[in-house]
Amino acid sequence: MKKRTLRFPAACLAGALALTACGGGGADDGSVTLKLVAADYGNKASNSTTVYWEEVAEAFEADHPGIRVDVRVINWNDIDSQVKTMIQSGNVPDVLQTGGFADKVADDLLHPAEDVLSPETRENLVDSFARAGEVDGTQYGIPFVSSSRVLFYNKEIFSAAGISEPPATWDDVRAAAERIKAEVPGVTPYALPLGPEEAQGETLIWELGNGGGYTDADGAYTLDSEANVETFRWLKSNLVDPGLTYANPESTERKTAFADFAAGKAAMLNGHPSLIQMSKDGGVDYGVAPIPGKDGALESTLGVADWMMAFKDNGHQEEIREFLDFAYAEEHTLSFMERYNLMPVTDDTLERMRTGGDHPDLELFFELLPDASFYPLGDVTWDAVSAEIKQSGGTAVAGDPAEVLGDLQRKAEDIVSDQR
């Protein structure tokens, strides 16, 4: 591929205002310029997502000579703050790919998905993910990549402890953890990360296993429901207090749990696809299974998605539609998923990856993905409520679960009240 040069003058590349009127809405030759801002999924310069989007943009421009695409890729730590600055300064992108969308819907910034996707592209989205992009019944968030969660277990540790099958219920988890503690000392039987990095995810996985969750059927927060309190009481009395997990799970981060499992220091945990390669690199003979629930394996695991969205400000609705239809073609989505080891959100790419024989390690993830459960992403208060869960939710296994979850519920209700 020939080298592609970004069209931002040097003065425009400093700081968060790279997408200023320097690109404008059109070029001197009469073409329309679309401004694309995207998150970086690469872990080094050679596989930066800039390379991927520049390839897509070049191919798109070749097929659409009247439209130019300026690409800006920003790392995950900075993208939200930089996009916020762009919007406040009136330098709004046309297309944004990042982690959330509801706050932008609340500010009336986005096109509904049906306005910027052809019917064929919309129908190709995995239905559960498309629904997760809705706010008040209208889809604004367009799923871009996804992952789901399964139980990872160390086959060698299980064998040494005399365990022949992965656990399917909470009681099975406790029994397996007790055997591992007795027969394989020095190993963390169950890695429970409830620190701020992953508290909102690990919490929801366990609560789903007891028929709980973050909201009721009407979308109201139910953080201190009887089912949720019971879930944390079980974790405290069956895993934490008996020493079958970390001594301080409320401050243990997911990255620690993943690293321990990949080093053979933890026997089981809930994980997503990135743990596959980490385990292989660490020489761990791992297995995967559906996540255990109170009375049996979960049929609907936690699903996580990142999102594409289209802004109204620059008046480029038709050009955005052409670009998104192009970007969501199977050849491009498949390339992205395989390049960055992620899960698809389109039916054709999901089927291709499931049946192609090239991804045997992902078979269970593929099976569970279409029926995944999600955070309440369409609620404009979710980001603030999630931040509270991350900060203190894990302490429910260290103190009184009813008191901790009750405090979170009051904070959530205050956040909702402030939004009205």
Side-chain angles (χ1 to χ4, degrees):
M1 185 189 78
K2 65 184 178 65
K3 181 176 177 62
R4 178 182 170 85
T5 302
L6 291 176
R7 300 184 181 87
F8 294 113
C12 298
L13 290 175
L17 299 183
L19 292 181
T20 66
C22 301
D28 293 340
D29 60 6
S31 63
V32 170
T33 298
L34 291 180
K35 295 179 287 189
L36 168 67
V37 177
D40 194 355
Y41 291 81
N43 55 17
K44 52 188 176 182
S46 61
N47 74 336
S48 168
T49 311
T50 300
V51 177
Y52 170 82
W53 282 118
E54 285 295 301
E55 292 173 354
V56 172
E58 183 173 357
F60 175 77
E61 289 180 355
D63 282 351
H64 301 78
I67 308 173
R68 298 163 62 181
V69 181
D70 279 326
V71 173
R72 178 162 173 78
V73 172
I74 304 174
N75 70 72
W76 278 105
N77 290 335
D78 297 330
I79 188 167
D80 287 344
S81 62
Q82 291 199 20
V83 169
K84 182 178 181 180
T85 300
M86 294 172 195
I87 293 171
Q88 290 174 340
S89 303
N91 304 308
V92 182
D94 292 288
V95 178
L96 171 65
Q97 188 277 301
T98 187
F101 59 87
D103 58 330
K104 299 166 187 66
V105 176
D107 292 334
D108 194 28
L109 298 175
L110 302 183
H111 285 289
E114 66 178 355
D115 290 350
V116 290
L117 295 178
S118 68
E120 293 77 14
T121 299
R122 287 188 70 203
E123 291 169 5
N124 191 36
L125 297 173
V126 173
D127 187 58
S128 60
F129 284 86
R131 291 197 309 271
E134 294 180 357
V135 176
D136 295 331
T138 299
Q139 183 187 354
Y140 294 91
I142 304 167
F144 181 65
V145 297
S146 68
S147 70
S148 57
R149 305 296 169 88
V150 301
L151 179 78
F152 281 74
Y153 62 98
N154 185 308
K155 292 182 178 180
E156 184 177 352
I157 293 175
F158 268 52
S159 177
I163 305 169
S164 59
E165 295 180 346
T169 68
W170 287 359
D171 285 344
D172 293 342
V173 171
R174 180 187 60 203
E178 289 172 344
R179 290 285 298 273
I180 291 165
K181 183 177 182 179
E183 302 295 335
V184 192
V187 169
T188 300
Y190 186 93
L192 183 66
L194 289 170
E197 180 187 11
E198 182 65 356
Q200 84 291 354
E202 189 75 13
T203 292
L204 184 54
I205 291 171
W206 283 94
E207 291 176 351
L208 288 171
N210 194 31
Y214 289 144
T215 59
D216 62 19
D218 296 323
Y221 287 109
T222 55
L223 305 186
D224 64 344
S225 68
E226 183 178 346
N228 292 349
V229 171
E230 182 182 72
T231 296
F232 273 94
R233 284 177 175 156
W234 190 94
L235 288 170
K236 179 177 172 59
S237 62
N238 289 274
L239 292 184
V240 179
D241 290 347
L244 301 178
T245 185
Y246 296 113
N248 303 105
E250 70 276 11
S251 60
T252 301
E253 306 289 20
R254 181 183 66 188
K255 61 185 178 183
T256 299
F258 276 27
D260 284 350
F261 185 84
K265 297 178 181 179
M268 50 184 163
L269 78 170
N270 297 324
H272 55 63
S274 70
L275 188 53
I276 292 174
Q277 192 59 52
M278 290 179 64
S279 301
K280 290 180 177 180
D281 291 344
V284 171
D285 184 13
Y286 74 93
V288 294
I291 291 174
K294 182 180 180 182
D295 299 316
L298 292 186
E299 295 180 0
S300 178
T301 185
L302 173 64
V304 178
D306 295 329
W307 303 90
M308 188 80 75
M309 62 210 75
F311 287 79
K312 299 187 292 185
D313 194 70
N314 298 323
H316 294 153
Q317 177 182 337
E318 291 305 317
E319 291 82 6
I320 292 171
R321 180 198 294 261
E322 292 186 59
F323 177 73
L324 290 179
D325 283 345
F326 186 88
Y328 275 80
E330 181 184 329
E331 64 178 296
H332 303 307
T333 56
L334 179 65
S335 172
F336 193 94
M337 303 312 145
E338 294 188 331
R339 189 177 304 200
Y340 299 105
N341 297 311
L342 292 163
M343 303 285 287
V345 296
T346 50
D347 288 328
D348 55 3
T349 302
L350 178 59
E351 183 65 16
R352 174 79 172 271
M353 294 180 74
R354 288 179 65 176
T355 61
D358 297 327
H359 307 281
D361 294 328
L362 294 174
E363 287 180 0
L364 182 59
F365 291 95
F366 292 145
E367 179 182 336
L368 296 173
L369 192 65
D371 296 319
S373 297
F374 296 87
Y375 305 124
L377 300 168
D379 192 319
V380 297
T381 66
W382 168 242
D383 284 348
V385 173
S386 175
E388 294 291 347
I389 296 171
K390 291 177 183 179
Q391 185 64 32
S392 62
T395 63
V397 296
D400 180 353
E403 181 178 330
V404 172
L405 297 185
D407 183 60
L408 281 173
Q409 178 68 20
R410 287 188 290 274
K411 289 179 179 178
E413 291 172 356
D414 288 343
I415 291 168
V416 171
S417 179
D418 290 342
Q419 287 285 335
R420 293 175 178 169

